[in-house]
């Protein structure tokens, strides 16, 4: 064990398999980078402050764990997806028990596999969609586990694009600007036991196949373009045991084929189901 004042200096001094412990305090390290297989663990939620300029923590190594930090004030950029914590082209990364506040994108997985995002709390404070990224953003990834996170104030709470064979379990996405959950071109995923409440437009699942949706709560999504869930150009899905409460349209379907629906509960909607002529075998 060695006492090192700077988190980046501690990371630099570590070797694969080490644990780097960070004491309580506020650290302005610009862009922290991890390029070796370590556990990076905060004691008493040390603050990593991006000073509204930088991506705060970037992970470039497989097998990394990031646990127990308060990550605040990332930079904002319309060109770069600056994040509180971003994983680049890695496998088996675990991100757990962190608090992210006032970040552009929150936790971002780019081209990752077998990564876990567990028990994090993400809160954004931007007032406009253009100034806000997504809370948990996953791109071109597979076998992810997104479990027991709380996300509010972002553009989309959870965003999947080209993500397959992944599970979204027991998360809450509340008061995000656009969608609580947004799937695009993502196949063979399961989401279960989540709560999506009072998001701008509800939940959107688009251009995806074989999505299973169990025991989720879709609540309080009101407005001209708001739904409990929008199913657009999706096929061979399952919706079972979900709860829809006080949405303009609980389920809005367009170009949806072979969706098996059973044991869902509807209460206090403008419309429970809106099914367009482009749907088949629902």
């Amino acid at each position: 064990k060695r006492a090192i004042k700077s988190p980046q200096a501690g990371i630099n001094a570590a070797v694969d398999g080490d644990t780097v412990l960070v004491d309580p305090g506020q650290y302005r390290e610009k862009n922290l980078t991890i390029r070796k297989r370590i556990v990076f663990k905060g004691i008493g939620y040390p603050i990593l402050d991006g000073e509204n300029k930088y991506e705060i923590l970037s992970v470039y190594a497989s097998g990394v764990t990031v646990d127990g930090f308060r990550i605040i004030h990332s930079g904002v950029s319309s060109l770069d997806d600056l994040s509180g914590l971003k994983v680049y082209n890695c496998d088996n990364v675990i991100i757990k028990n962190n608090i992210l506040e006032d970040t552009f994108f929150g936790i971002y997985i780019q081209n990752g596999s077998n990564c876990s995002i567990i028990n994090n709390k993400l809160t954004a404070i931007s007032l406009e969609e253009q100034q806000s990224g997504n809370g948990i953003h996953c791109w071109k990834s597979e076998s992810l586990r997104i479990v027991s996170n709380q996300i509010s104030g972002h553009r989309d709470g959870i965003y999947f694009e080209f993500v397959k064979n992944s599970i979204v379990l027991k998360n809450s996405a509340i008061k995000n600007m656009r969608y609580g959950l947004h799937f695009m071109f993502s196949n063979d995923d399961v989401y279960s036991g989540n709560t999506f409440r009072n998001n701008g437009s509800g939940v959107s699942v688009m251009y995806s196949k074989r999505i299973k949706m169990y025991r989720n709560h879709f609540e309080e999504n009101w407005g001209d373009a708001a739904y409990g869930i929008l199913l657009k150009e999706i096929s061979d899905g399952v919706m079972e045991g979900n709860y829809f409460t006080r949405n303009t349209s609980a389920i809005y379907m367009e170009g949806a084929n072979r969706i098996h629906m059973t044991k869902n509960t509807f209460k206090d909607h403008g419309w429970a189901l809106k099914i367009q002529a482009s749907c088949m075998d629902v």
Side-chain angles (χ1 to χ4, degrees):
K1 286 187 177 181
R2 285 179 286 173
I4 296 171
K5 294 295 185 184
S6 153
Q8 187 68 67
I11 292 167
N12 295 345
V15 298
D16 282 352
D18 279 357
T19 295
V20 176
L21 299 175
V22 179
D23 287 331
Q26 185 155 350
Y27 301 91
R28 294 180 177 89
E29 301 265 301
K30 298 183 179 178
N31 177 221
L32 271 165
T33 59
I34 299 176
R35 300 181 185 273
K36 52 194 80 171
R37 180 177 53 82
I38 62 170
V39 174
F40 187 54
K41 184 173 175 59
I43 301 168
Y45 284 97
I47 296 169
L48 306 179
D49 186 348
E51 304 176 73
N52 300 115
K53 296 177 184 176
Y54 309 103
E55 181 159 284
I56 299 168
L57 180 57
S58 305
V59 175
Y60 296 95
S62 295
V64 167
T65 296
V66 178
D67 179 1
F69 289 90
R70 188 169 165 218
I71 298 171
I72 65 173
H73 305 323
S74 77
V76 173
S77 170
S78 58
L79 298 176
D80 301 311
D81 296 340
L82 297 177
S83 306
L85 197 166
K86 191 168 183 179
V87 176
Y88 292 84
N89 313 318
C90 300
D91 308 327
N92 304 301
V93 173
I94 299 171
I95 301 166
K96 63 181 181 179
N97 308 323
N98 300 287
I99 298 168
L100 291 92
E101 297 171 337
D102 187 28
T103 59
F104 183 44
F105 285 78
I107 298 169
Y108 194 126
I109 307 289
Q110 173 184 294
N111 194 24
S113 69
N114 202 39
C115 297
S116 298
I117 301 174
I118 302 170
N119 195 38
N120 302 281
K121 185 174 182 180
L122 303 95
T123 308
I125 58 174
S126 177
L127 300 177
E128 298 180 6
E129 264 188 39
Q130 292 79 7
Q131 297 296 309
S132 180
N134 303 318
I136 295 175
H137 183 105
C138 305
W139 179 80
K140 204 176 177 184
S141 298
E142 63 178 297
S143 303
L144 305 180
R145 290 172 296 277
I146 316 295
V147 182
S148 298
N149 301 282
Q150 300 175 52
I151 310 128
S152 65
H154 281 274
R155 183 168 61 202
D156 294 338
I158 300 169
Y159 180 88
F160 273 21
E161 186 170 1
F162 303 112
V163 176
K164 59 186 180 181
N165 297 313
S166 296
I167 186 163
V168 177
L169 179 66
K170 295 182 180 177
N171 303 279
S172 68
I174 297 172
K175 293 186 178 178
N176 295 286
M177 281 184 261
R178 188 169 60 179
Y179 297 117
L181 174 74
H182 191 182
F183 271 38
M184 298 275 285
F185 309 108
S186 294
N187 303 330
D188 301 295
D189 298 312
V190 176
Y191 65 96
S192 178
N194 303 283
T195 297
F196 306 107
R197 181 185 307 126
N198 201 10
N199 298 291
S201 302
V203 165
S204 178
V205 180
M206 307 171 77
Y207 310 109
S208 299
K209 300 175 182 176
R210 298 178 299 278
I211 304 296
K212 294 180 171 65
M213 302 161 261
Y214 303 125
R215 297 179 298 281
N216 300 285
H217 288 256
F218 302 85
E219 303 172 352
E220 303 278 359
N221 298 290
W222 284 100
D224 290 346
Y227 326 95
I229 184 168
L230 166 66
L231 303 176
K232 182 179 174 68
E233 304 296 335
I234 79 162
S235 57
D236 301 299
V238 177
M239 296 192 73
E240 183 175 313
N242 299 283
Y243 296 87
F244 295 87
T245 308
R246 293 187 298 279
N247 303 285
T248 302
S249 301
I251 302 176
Y252 187 99
M253 305 174 74
E254 183 179 316
N257 304 304
R258 298 179 302 280
I259 309 300
H260 179 74
M261 295 185 180
T262 183
K263 298 180 182 176
N264 300 289
T265 302
F266 300 88
K267 184 180 179 183
D268 297 337
H269 301 285
W271 293 268
L273 281 166
K274 275 194 168 182
I275 303 175
Q276 302 302 306
S278 53
C279 298
M280 293 178 60
D281 301 325
V282 175

